[in-house]
């Protein structure tokens, strides 16, 4: 089972079969406003064009400024290029590292609430329409419940992904759902995803399945892990 994606805003049954001229024109204008029809240069293209113009200006000033100031201006231009590359590349690198499991958010550091407390907080956030907080609190409830059942040992610094992997080793029948839930937690914690109510309800169902699943003995779970590897 995987978390649901956000539903589409308009179903096929909602579209009139015979639109009026005004409706057809409005639909066409809306369609043409989409990014795939936009010929405007991207931010990166605008930055590169600006740097190209800056370089041409610097090289054109060589005869005027002499051999001393031109190298300084070149170094400044190179510094600008490096700064732009860092600013544009940073978010991409962070997103890629999270996708490959390189970075995962800590789950319960400094939080001593019980799983019941966390579930109550999650439900209250969901009722208030604060789905991001609801998702975070519900996943924390899952991890806390694993601590309370001695499936996990409580320790500082445990990340969402580590909790899912360690918990899945003792609860192999829900291991995939635990990992998917940890990815949702990280995506929400890092601001990459604005979760829907459907996704929260999915996570709540995972919580119920985890609570109903009996853990396997450590020796048996370790033997299964050795065989699968």
């Amino acid at each position: 089972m995987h978390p649901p994606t956000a539903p589409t805003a308009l179903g096929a049954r909602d579209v009139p079969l015979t639109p009026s001229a005004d409706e057809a024109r409005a639909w066409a204008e809306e369609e043409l406003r989409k990014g795939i029809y936009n010929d405007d240069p991207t931010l990166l293209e605008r930055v590169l064009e600006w740097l190209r113009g800056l370089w041409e200006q610097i090289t054109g000033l060589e005869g005027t400024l002499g051999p001393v100031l031109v190298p300084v201006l070149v170094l400044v231009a190179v510094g600008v290029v490096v700064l732009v590359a860092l600013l544009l590349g940073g978010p991409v690198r962070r997103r890629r590292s999270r996708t490959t499991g390189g970075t995962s958010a800590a789950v319960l550091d400094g939080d001593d609430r019980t799983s019941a407390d966390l579930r109550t907080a999650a439900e209250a956030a969901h009722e208030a329409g604060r789905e991001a907080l609801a998702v975070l609190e519900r996943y924390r409830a899952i991890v806390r419940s694993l601590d309370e059942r001695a499936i996990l040992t409580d320790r500082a610094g445990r990340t969402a992904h580590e909790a899912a992997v360690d918990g899945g080793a003792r609860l192999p029948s829900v291991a995939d759902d635990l990992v998917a839930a940890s990815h949702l937690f990280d995506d929400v914690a890092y601001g990459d995803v604005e979760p829907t109510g459907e996704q929260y309800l999915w996570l709540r169902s995972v919580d119920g399945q985890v609570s109903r699943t009996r853990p396997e003995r450590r020796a048996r779970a370790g033997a299964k892990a050795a065989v699968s590897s």
Side-chain angles (χ1 to χ4, degrees):
M1 183 170 63
H2 297 284
T5 56
T8 55
L10 184 65
R13 63 182 179 181
D14 299 321
V15 181
L17 297 178
T18 56
S20 67
D22 290 339
E23 289 173 332
R25 183 172 60 254
W27 293 350
E29 291 173 353
E30 180 65 24
E31 184 69 15
L32 290 173
R33 277 196 293 267
K34 294 181 179 179
I36 59 174
Y37 301 106
N38 191 352
D39 293 328
D40 293 338
T42 65
L43 174 61
L44 180 58
E45 290 172 340
R46 291 198 297 269
V47 170
L48 291 176
E49 184 62 30
W50 176 78
L51 290 174
R52 188 180 300 109
L54 178 62
W55 180 260
E56 291 175 354
Q57 292 177 16
I58 291 174
T59 55
L61 291 174
E62 184 173 1
T64 304
L65 298 179
V68 176
L69 288 180
V70 170
V72 174
L73 293 176
V74 170
L75 289 176
V76 171
V78 170
V80 171
V81 172
V82 172
L83 178 61
V84 169
L86 290 174
L87 291 175
L88 293 178
V92 174
R93 286 196 303 273
R94 288 195 296 272
R95 190 174 297 111
R96 183 180 299 117
S97 65
R98 289 198 292 274
T99 302
T100 56
T103 303
S104 181
V107 184
L108 291 169
D109 280 5
D111 193 334
D112 58 358
R113 289 176 293 174
T114 66
S115 60
D117 293 336
L118 290 162
R119 289 185 180 109
T120 300
E123 285 297 298
H126 173 61
E127 291 297 327
R130 302 175 63 188
E131 305 301 348
L133 178 60
V135 164
L136 297 178
E137 297 286 56
R138 179 61 68 165
Y139 186 76
R140 291 181 181 123
I142 293 174
V143 176
R144 177 63 75 200
S145 70
L146 294 175
D147 289 338
E148 292 169 347
R149 296 167 62 192
I151 294 172
L152 296 178
T153 55
D154 188 16
R155 66 174 176 81
R158 175 179 276 120
T159 66
H161 183 71
E162 290 171 342
V165 172
D166 294 344
R170 298 288 309 281
L171 305 172
S173 63
V174 293
D176 290 342
D177 286 338
L178 282 172
V179 170
S182 73
H183 290 165
L184 178 60
F185 176 89
D186 281 335
D187 287 343
V188 172
Y190 284 112
D192 291 340
V193 167
E194 184 63 35
T196 64
E198 242 184 345
Q199 287 173 309
Y200 171 74
L201 294 178
W202 170 83
L203 187 59
R204 187 170 68 183
S205 72
V206 171
D207 186 12
Q209 290 176 356
V210 170
S211 298
R212 292 189 296 270
T213 302
R214 297 181 62 182
E216 293 190 358
R217 293 182 178 179
R218 294 185 183 276
R220 183 180 173 187
K224 280 194 171 185
V227 170
S228 61
S229 62

